[in-house]
Amino acid sequence: MAAVSQLQRQFVDYTTSLYNEEYLDDQFTQLQKLQDESNPDFVVEVVSLFFEDSEKLLNNLATALQQTSVDYKQVDSHVHQFKGSSSSIGAKRVTNVCVHFRNFCEEKNLDGCLRCLQQVKHEYILVRTKLEALFRLEQQILQAGGSVPVME
Amino acid sequence: MKFGRKMGLKMQGHHHLVAVSLNEQQLGTKRKYTSYIPRTNQGKYLVLWIIVFGFAAIYVYRCIDAGHQQRIQEGLVSMCDQRARMLQDQFSVCVNHVHALAVLVSTFHYYKNPSVIDQDTFAEYTARTAFERPLLSGVAYAQRVMNSEREDFEGQHGGTIRTMANKEPSPHRDEYAPVIFSQETVSYLNLLDMMSGEEDRENILRARSTGKAVLTSPFKLLGSHHLGVVLTIPVYKSKLPPNASVRDRIEATAGYLGGAFDVESLVENLLGQLAGNQEIIVKVYDVTNTSDPLIMYGRQTQEGDQTRVHVSKLDFGDPYRKHQMTCGYLHKAPISWTATTTACLGYVIVILAGYMFYTGAIHIVQVEDDFHTMQQLKVRAEAADVAKSQFLATVSHEIRTPMNGILGMLALLLDTDLSSTQRDYAQTAQACGRALITLINEVLDRAKIEAGKLELEAVPFDLRSILDDVLSLFSEKSRNKGIELAVLVSDKVPQIVMGDSGRFRQVITNLVGNSVKFTEQGHIFVQVHLAEHCKAVQDAKLDTCMNGISKGPQSKTLSGREAADDRNNWDKFKHLIADEEFPFQVVTSDGNSQSVNLMVSVEDTGIGIPLHAQELVFMPFMQADSSTSRHYGGTGIGLSISKCLVELMGGQISFVSRPQIGSTFSFTAKFKRCEKNTIADPKRSLYDDLPTSFKGLKATVVDTKPVRAAVTRYHLKRLGVLVEVVNSIKTAVSASCSCLGQPDMILVEKDVWLSGDDLNSIQVSGHVLKPPKIILLATNVTGCEFDKAKAAGFSDTLIMKPLRASMVAACLQQVLGTGKAEQGKVMANGSVYLRGLLRGRKILVVDDNRVNRRVAAGALKKFGAEVECADSGKAALDLLQIPHGFDACFMDIQMPEMDGFEATRRIRMMESKINEQQTGGPMDSRTTSEWHLPILAMTADVIQATFEECQKSGMDGYVSKPFQEENLYQEVAKFFESKPKPVTVS
């Protein structure tokens, strides 16, 4: 049981740090609340949806920005999608970068867009790593027979 | 307009639209006013006025003065003419008389031979007839004596003919005219040759050739210094024919009768007889020679008023001589006072009036300027007010987002290992944050009300269930504090009313929340009655109160504690709840009236409101004093919002409060009566699903407090349970067999039980068939009390207050074993209701973003809804082809190809087409209601503009994305509370 409680504490600390470093926000908590017995893998499901979408969107964005004449409208709609899904899961830093990204799109600033693409990629990979780590921790807790602490 | 634009530009974004339209409105009304007052140069207008009326005054003076002058002139003319006529008359009288004398002389001196007249006779005769000739100083007769006859004549008369000049014997001439007869006054003329005087000679010659009386020009008379004229009349020897020639006349001439007129004294004499003698200067002229008029009377000097002179002609009977009379005033004509005063006074009045206009105009202009300034300030102030509301709304919204972050973090922080101090700090911070969020929501609400954005809806709702909900929100707190919380709705209040349930709930929640906050012990009692009913009872009660029957207030209220509003105690209350045989006249608006006027009162036994603060209660941000907010928290904005809401609902809010005793807030609200036909099956949809399985059961309530018993009875009655109230358990037992027959249950209040009544009696006497179930009613129960109760026989159940019909039903179900077990615990928060509302509903979520879609679906599913998803507007349209089975649609706004607004517009078009067809076509069972799918926008930024856009395109509301429970609940409740659950869903 000691191991479980240690794991739980680790989980709480880790989650807290994620919130503190603004990788995640309140929306992620809401998401966790939606998960219950009838829907036990809800968070993981949604987050993996997000991962899939994001990979696709990042690819699309990279190709779109490599074109000789960049279709900013297209880019903007991609970023909008990205922003929507990231805010839905509460990946705050990604959302924030998306906001900047859209501004550059509006200005049709290619340099800015490319810079933002790098940033957003970076942030995305970061949050993915963090979330994967979080899920691993959760799995460990569950395997150890404990329950995942509920974050209020 | 200029102003409006300026103000508008100062603001930004969509805000300025509001401000500009506001200003346009303001200025639009202002423009209707036009001024008729010159705005500048009032001084010039005044001067012009004075000058114009100066001329007018002079003109008036002239007019009046001209009349005056004319009267004066007329007076002069008449006086002059009068004098001239009199003079002339008198003169002609004299002349006539002299004529008569001439006839006398000719008759008696020449026709009689010898003559019968001598000097003595003539003298006497003339002396005696002198009064007939007042103008003549004397008369004399001169005989014509030829030179040849001189000696005879001299001898006959005994003297020589002398000249007039030196009275010497006359030298030889052809002819002489010595005086032979003379009046005594002129006896010195005797034998003077009249022909020797230049004037007389001429006169004589003229007289005898014309045969008429002739006059000399004026000259100084002999023997006097007066001016005079001499009148000469010829006397002929024989009668002459009328057409006799001059020669004949000269031949026939026998002598001459003459008389001297002393004009000066005579005129003097004449004028003396007349009135107005002093004012007038009279002059008489001989104007025979027009170039050199000879004065006969009056001084030659220029005196008197030369400007006004009248000349009258005089005719003294001698055509050769012409005379005239000149009259003038001695003094200048006096100034006409009438004219002067009239003109002056008039002018003064006009000047004063002008000055009054002038100052009036200046004042009006000033007032107008002030008015314009005020208007501008007003517009500015209103714009500022709107800006303030906008600002509040925006800022509040912006604050909410980071605040959620703070709260989330605090929650996380509290889950970590903290020392007790740290935990305390964190908890405090969290409490503060929650308070702040509440405040912001309230400010948003208020800003909305102030901006006039808040409109009440009219949907049918069940008042009683709403009150139950509100109570359940506070049940936790009230239980912890140990205060009695109860609600009672009069039977006369209709089950379903039309109105804005959400706002009604908000007001009640606010009032009850306040009461809970400020009450530490005692009770909080919510009552709803018909306002007319309440008033009638109050009026009637007032009369009985006058009679002085006033027992102590104890045991007359819900918990027995004194309440602020005495009138609310049992004495009155029993009349209010006595549904039958109501003894007072009530003007109830039965079926005929369409509105229901409700009177809601919330009574508590809290700390009350200090007297000095009672006036400020409904002002925003006012609490009794600053220490209150420190102690109890809250901002005091809630009551002001409640007031606004109540006024929107057509009612009034008021309160009675006594410090340390409690407060009673009461408000009235107008609702529409719900027509039965409008809702197909109101029982199903609106009644909170109270089971009907208890109908006909009998219950005995053991309670010593009548009000509390009435509340229990109210809730049981809603379940269809017949209720009898008794004072003690013993009576309950003894009465159990009497009127109602054996009760199915006995409900005992905790304090009655604790006061020592024994339950065993029931057990003992529990005889026939099955014994009644015994239920304990309590506000709070400690662990040991619970054990004791169990031991005492309340094995069956315990109902925790506050009572709510649904909760009572659940407990009874459990106790009586009827019906299915309640699924889930009775939870007192929104999510349970949300679950209730959404359970079994089929909802379409439209979003192009997979993740969003999944999250929204997950959230809705959690509340029991069946969710289907569409990834574009087009897909949604396909799914929503009528007929479809969806109960609601959540629509993302920003989507590629077809956005949420467009999709909604198309859906609405589709629906209206179908609806039109239906109204035309035959009616079948499904067409009783029109197709109208509730569509809610999902949007990340909830700003006014988007909301308006939503409404424009036919959406019913919006929820913020990501979903928030309460927001979702509020929006969803709007539709599903008022709509029947679909029949198809089981």
Side-chain angles (χ1 to χ4, degrees):
Chain A
M1 284 320 265
V4 171
S5 71
Q6 200 191 339
L7 273 174
Q8 281 176 335
R9 176 163 307 166
Q10 202 183 335
F11 178 82
V12 168
D13 286 346
Y14 189 62
T15 318
T16 314
S17 77
L18 286 184
Y19 281 103
N20 285 344
E21 287 161 38
E22 293 205 322
Y23 287 108
L24 297 176
D25 68 5
D26 186 45
Q27 184 55 30
F28 189 71
T29 324
Q30 298 281 340
L31 219 57
Q32 283 177 321
K33 275 190 194 163
L34 291 178
Q35 179 168 301
D36 55 17
E37 299 82 35
S38 63
N39 206 354
D41 293 326
F42 181 70
V43 177
V44 177
E45 185 194 333
V46 170
V47 169
S48 35
L49 267 178
F50 168 67
F51 291 161
E52 282 172 36
D53 269 15
S54 303
E55 309 275 352
K56 220 182 292 167
L57 283 168
L58 284 172
N59 277 336
N60 288 348
L61 277 171
T63 13
L65 285 172
Q66 271 161 16
Q67 302 294 317
T68 40
S69 62
V70 179
D71 182 358
Y72 284 103
K73 222 173 162 186
Q74 177 78 34
V75 175
D76 187 59
S77 87
H78 287 319
V79 181
H80 174 64
Q81 289 277 335
F82 204 6
K83 184 183 154 220
S85 45
S86 61
S87 77
S88 259
I89 69 145
K92 193 166 184 199
R93 284 165 71 150
V94 178
T95 316
N96 287 346
V97 179
C98 285
V99 172
H100 290 298
F101 203 153
R102 290 193 77 180
N103 286 341
F104 284 123
C105 274
E106 217 165 289
E107 293 166 17
K108 307 204 167 164
N109 181 342
L110 187 60
D111 284 347
C113 282
L114 287 170
R115 217 168 38 241
C116 271
L117 180 61
Q118 290 311 312
Q119 263 179 28
V120 88
K121 227 179 229 169
H122 175 69
E123 289 294 344
Y124 162 68
I125 290 165
L126 265 176
V127 81
R128 192 177 65 183
T129 329
K130 301 272 177 189
L131 283 171
E132 280 165 356
L134 190 71
F135 292 146
R136 265 200 304 282
L137 255 175
E138 250 182 57
Q139 286 300 316
Q140 284 173 4
I141 293 171
L142 289 173
Q143 275 165 10
S147 63
V148 180
V150 177
M151 307 295 290
E152 268 299 326
Chain B
M1 260 340 289
K2 206 184 273 173
F3 186 69
R5 271 193 212 117
K6 212 161 95 190
M7 283 304 296
L9 288 175
K10 277 185 188 166
M11 302 195 207
Q12 286 171 357
H14 60 276
H15 298 178
H16 87 267
L17 286 174
V18 180
V20 167
S21 67
L22 191 100
N23 290 344
E24 271 169 4
Q25 224 175 348
Q26 292 296 321
L27 293 171
T29 54
K30 189 178 127 188
R31 280 280 167 264
K32 281 174 194 160
Y33 168 78
T34 46
S35 173
Y36 299 101
I37 303 290
R39 301 202 57 81
T40 51
N41 294 332
Q42 294 96 342
K44 284 183 188 166
Y45 283 108
L46 178 65
V47 171
L48 189 68
W49 171 279
I50 289 174
I51 289 170
V52 165
F53 279 94
F55 284 119
I58 290 169
Y59 176 73
V60 167
Y61 173 78
R62 287 262 170 83
C63 284
I64 299 174
D65 194 45
H68 178 68
Q69 295 293 346
Q70 198 183 347
R71 273 196 303 283
I72 290 173
Q73 186 71 33
E74 277 167 4
L76 182 68
V77 167
S78 75
M79 279 201 290
C80 202
D81 285 347
Q82 184 192 15
R83 278 159 179 72
R85 203 168 54 245
M86 281 184 70
L87 191 61
Q88 199 175 304
D89 286 351
Q90 292 217 358
F91 202 92
S92 63
V93 165
C94 291
V95 170
N96 287 344
H97 208 265
V98 175
H99 229 287
L101 271 178
V103 172
L104 178 89
V105 170
S106 68
T107 311
F108 290 100
H109 190 61
Y110 293 107
Y111 300 169
K112 292 279 181 199
N113 208 0
S115 160
V116 289
I117 295 177
D118 57 3
Q119 166 64 29
D120 293 339
T121 322
F122 186 82
E124 190 175 349
Y125 179 77
T126 51
R128 284 174 67 177
T129 56
F131 68 93
E132 295 268 24
R133 306 177 300 272
L135 300 182
L136 287 170
S137 49
V139 286
Y141 174 68
Q143 192 178 353
R144 185 187 184 197
V145 178
M146 306 304 286
N147 200 26
S148 56
E149 296 166 346
R150 179 175 172 171
E151 281 178 26
D152 290 346
F153 176 81
E154 281 179 346
Q156 199 179 339
H157 287 277
T160 51
I161 298 170
R162 289 165 295 168
T163 58
M164 281 176 80
N166 42 20
K167 305 216 167 96
E168 289 294 306
S170 168
H172 284 283
R173 290 172 191 247
D174 292 344
E175 211 176 321
Y176 307 95
V179 174
I180 53 170
F181 304 134
S182 61
Q183 201 179 338
E184 255 175 304
T185 50
V186 290
S187 55
Y188 56 86
L189 288 176
N190 221 1
L191 288 184
L192 284 185
D193 181 10
M194 286 296 130
M195 297 278 265
S196 62
E198 190 62 29
E199 300 282 344
D200 292 298
R201 180 190 162 80
E202 211 173 287
N203 233 23
I204 287 166
L205 291 179
R206 209 152 49 84
R208 76 181 180 197
S209 60
T210 58
K212 286 191 176 145
V214 295
L215 293 171
T216 61
S217 57
F219 63 98
K220 277 238 159 74
L221 289 179
L222 272 179
S224 97
H225 300 294
H226 290 167
L227 282 174
V229 290
V230 172
L231 168 77
T232 309
I233 293 174
V235 177
Y236 298 105
K237 286 177 204 151
S238 56
K239 282 176 190 155
L240 284 170
N243 54 351
S245 67
V246 174
R247 193 179 181 81
D248 290 339
R249 286 179 201 277
I250 296 171
E251 284 295 314
T253 304
Y256 323 99
L257 194 66
F261 284 96
D262 181 353
V263 179
E264 208 166 346
S265 59
L266 292 176
V267 173
E268 199 89 39
N269 205 8
L270 178 74
L271 294 183
Q273 296 168 8
L274 288 169
N277 203 20
Q278 304 303 316
E279 302 166 11
I280 194 164
I281 296 170
V282 177
K283 290 177 183 171
V284 181
Y285 293 95
D286 181 331
V287 288
T288 311
N289 184 0
T290 44
S291 61
D292 179 27
L294 295 168
I295 192 153
M296 291 166 73
Y297 170 74
R299 269 163 290 183
Q300 194 63 274
T301 49
Q302 300 285 316
E303 61 177 35
D305 185 7
Q306 294 301 319
T307 55
R308 208 173 283 107
V309 170
H310 182 73
V311 176
S312 301
K313 283 260 171 331
L314 287 172
D315 180 13
F316 288 145
D318 182 355
Y320 182 71
R321 299 259 168 221
K322 291 198 171 60
H323 299 90
Q324 69 182 32
M325 181 184 266
T326 345
C327 299
Y329 280 106
L330 180 58
H331 302 293
K332 289 222 172 202
I335 301 156
S336 166
W337 284 111
T338 337
T340 319
T341 47
T342 309
C344 286
L345 278 177
Y347 192 45
V348 165
I349 289 169
V350 167
I351 284 179
L352 285 177
Y355 185 71
M356 266 163 57
F357 289 143
Y358 172 68
T359 49
I362 285 180
H363 186 67
I364 288 171
V365 166
Q366 198 179 355
V367 168
E368 273 176 2
D369 287 348
D370 288 354
F371 171 68
H372 289 307
T373 320
M374 290 301 178
Q375 242 177 356
Q376 286 177 353
L377 288 177
K378 179 170 167 270
V379 169
R380 217 142 86 191
E382 279 166 352
D385 196 45
V386 170
K388 183 207 77 182
S389 293
Q390 296 276 9
F391 171 77
L392 274 180
T394 318
V395 166
S396 308
H397 185 73
E398 293 304 322
I399 293 174
R400 246 192 339 195
T401 322
M403 267 318 288
N404 279 328
I406 294 173
L407 283 179
M409 288 305 114
L410 284 169
L412 291 176
L413 182 63
L414 279 170
D415 283 337
T416 57
D417 251 350
L418 294 175
S419 73
S420 61
T421 331
Q422 285 170 331
R423 180 164 295 276
D424 182 41
Y425 293 163
Q427 274 169 345
T428 314
Q430 195 181 29
C432 294
R434 284 207 182 113
L436 185 55
I437 287 279
T438 322
L439 165 66
I440 288 162
N441 285 339
E442 280 173 344
V443 168
L444 260 173
D445 243 4
R446 213 191 135 75
K448 240 180 176 178
I449 292 171
E450 273 176 4
K453 290 264 189 259
L454 196 85
E455 277 178 14
L456 294 185
E457 47 186 13
V459 294
F461 67 97
D462 182 358
L463 200 84
R464 289 172 176 80
S465 68
I466 290 219
L467 286 168
D468 278 356
D469 291 353
V470 173
L471 238 59
S472 70
L473 285 177
F474 294 102
S475 54
E476 191 69 36
K477 270 190 192 162
S478 68
R479 257 178 232 153
N480 291 344
K481 284 187 173 181
I483 46 182
E484 187 102 41
L485 181 60
V487 65
L488 188 138
V489 180
S490 159
D491 292 338
K492 295 181 182 61
V493 176
Q495 187 80 35
I496 311 279
V497 292
M498 295 271 279
D500 192 327
S501 57
R503 296 302 173 183
F504 180 67
R505 183 202 304 262
Q506 193 179 350
V507 176
I508 301 263
T509 310
N510 180 257
L511 292 179
V512 175
N514 271 349
S515 291
V516 170
K517 202 192 288 177
F518 294 117
T519 307
E520 293 304 329
Q521 46 190 330
H523 68 267
I524 295 159
F525 187 23
V526 183
Q527 297 176 67
V528 183
H529 300 283
L530 287 182
E532 300 90 357
H533 192 152
C534 220
K535 195 165 176 292
V537 171
Q538 210 135 19
D539 292 347
K541 204 58 217 150
L542 224 60
D543 299 339
T544 47
C545 277
M546 289 306 184
N547 298 340
I549 315 153
S550 170
K551 287 168 250 170
Q554 282 74 19
S555 84
K556 300 283 185 181
T557 63
L558 185 67
S559 67
R561 285 178 64 88
E562 199 181 351
D565 196 351
D566 287 340
R567 292 168 304 173
N568 245 352
N569 63 23
W570 173 244
D571 290 334
K572 174 196 157 195
F573 186 71
K574 65 185 168 200
H575 294 298
L576 274 176
I577 57 166
D579 35 5
E580 280 113 9
E581 78 258 274
F582 184 63
F584 303 114
Q585 288 279 317
V586 188
V587 198
T588 39
S589 45
D590 293 311
N592 5 350
S593 169
Q594 279 304 304
S595 66
V596 185
N597 224 342
L598 293 186
M599 169 85 174
V600 183
S601 67
V602 178
E603 174 186 295
D604 69 48
T605 56
I607 57 168
I609 301 164
L611 294 172
H612 65 86
Q614 293 199 351
E615 282 171 23
L616 304 173
V617 160
F618 293 115
M619 304 271 279
F621 302 108
M622 285 289 181
Q623 271 192 340
D625 56 67
S626 49
S627 66
T628 314
S629 54
R630 246 178 280 140
H631 192 256
Y632 294 100
T635 55
I637 197 175
L639 278 175
S640 83
I641 291 173
S642 297
K643 183 167 188 271
C644 292
L645 289 176
V646 166
E647 276 162 9
L648 275 173
M649 285 191 263
Q652 283 171 332
I653 189 164
S654 65
F655 67 95
V656 177
S657 181
R658 283 193 284 163
Q660 305 314 321
I661 288 175
S663 317
T664 303
F665 279 82
S666 42
F667 68 90
T668 54
K670 260 200 191 102
F671 293 104
K672 278 206 200 90
R673 218 170 263 277
C674 185
E675 284 164 39
K676 296 280 187 294
N677 328 350
T678 50
I679 294 146
D681 192 3
K683 293 232 161 161
R684 274 193 80 90
S685 65
L686 292 170
Y687 284 48
D688 45 350
D689 303 312
L690 291 179
T692 48
S693 50
F694 307 109
K695 233 173 209 141
L697 294 183
K698 301 178 200 76
T700 304
V701 174
V702 182
D703 196 346
T704 48
K705 290 174 183 158
V707 177
R708 194 169 58 186
V711 173
T712 315
R713 185 220 287 264
Y714 154 73
H715 287 290
L716 288 171
K717 261 181 103 172
R718 285 173 64 193
L719 295 170
V721 179
L722 298 171
V723 182
E724 190 189 8
V725 179
V726 294
N727 263 334
S728 67
I729 294 172
K730 279 197 189 100
T731 8
V733 173
S734 58
S736 59
C737 315
S738 60
C739 40
L740 281 169
Q742 193 192 0
D744 297 292
M745 61 196 112
I746 298 177
L747 294 97
V748 184
E749 282 287 341
K750 193 180 96 177
D751 54 354
V752 177
W753 166 59
L754 287 178
S755 66
D757 259 333
D758 200 359
L759 290 169
N760 293 329
S761 50
I762 303 175
Q763 249 72 22
V764 171
S765 64
H767 31 70
V768 247
L769 302 168
K770 53 175 185 180
K773 301 286 179 186
I774 303 170
I775 298 165
L776 185 65
L777 299 171
T779 38
N780 58 341
V781 172
T782 56
C784 63
E785 274 175 338
F786 187 68
D787 294 339
K788 201 174 149 200
K790 260 190 176 164
F794 288 106
S795 50
D796 299 321
T797 199
L798 167 73
I799 297 182
M800 292 294 284
K801 289 187 181 177
L803 293 180
R804 282 178 296 121
S806 59
M807 191 189 66
V808 173
C811 291
L812 293 184
Q813 260 168 357
Q814 200 186 326
V815 171
L816 300 169
T818 54
K820 53 184 174 56
E822 276 288 286
Q823 63 289 65
K825 296 167 277 179
V826 181
M827 283 163 66
N829 59 37
S831 62
V832 171
Y833 296 102
L834 199 51
R835 184 179 285 278
L837 285 172
L838 288 173
R839 179 182 302 283
R841 304 280 181 179
K842 205 168 165 200
I843 291 172
L844 179 66
V845 173
V846 186
D847 198 325
D848 61 319
N849 190 315
R850 217 148 50 112
V851 177
N852 290 355
R853 213 156 58 216
R854 188 70 193 87
V855 172
L860 290 169
K861 268 182 188 156
K862 194 190 174 199
F863 297 117
E866 280 179 46
V867 183
E868 210 163 304
C869 296
D871 60 355
S872 71
K874 275 201 178 124
L877 278 178
D878 291 342
L879 281 168
L880 288 173
Q881 287 299 330
I882 294 169
H884 59 74
F886 291 103
D887 296 306
C889 174
F890 286 81
M891 178 88 72
D892 185 28
I893 287 175
Q894 210 171 359
M895 287 187 292
E897 289 178 64
M898 187 190 291
D899 68 8
F901 296 137
E902 180 58 30
T904 308
R905 266 192 287 275
R906 293 202 184 184
I907 291 167
R908 291 289 177 244
M909 261 159 62
M910 222 153 66
E911 284 174 346
S912 62
K913 212 183 278 172
I914 297 288
N915 288 338
E916 266 170 41
Q917 285 169 9
Q918 275 181 357
T919 46
M923 302 285 277
D924 65 68
S925 59
R926 273 213 76 134
T927 56
T928 41
S929 65
E930 293 197 326
W931 284 100
H932 182 93
L933 181 73
I935 298 175
L936 295 166
M938 292 190 290
T939 167
D941 52 341
V942 188
I943 53 169
Q944 215 72 40
T946 323
F947 176 59
E948 272 156 20
E949 188 76 17
C950 286
Q951 284 188 322
K952 228 186 276 168
S953 55
M955 289 180 170
D956 300 277
Y958 62 84
V959 291
S960 58
K961 201 169 64 173
F963 285 167
Q964 286 162 334
E965 210 167 81
E966 66 211 86
N967 176 233
L968 187 63
Y969 172 58
Q970 270 176 11
E971 290 299 320
V972 167
K974 268 200 248 170
F975 310 103
F976 294 153
E977 272 189 345
S978 57
K979 284 208 164 63
K981 265 187 185 163
V983 190
T984 49
V985 178
S986 58

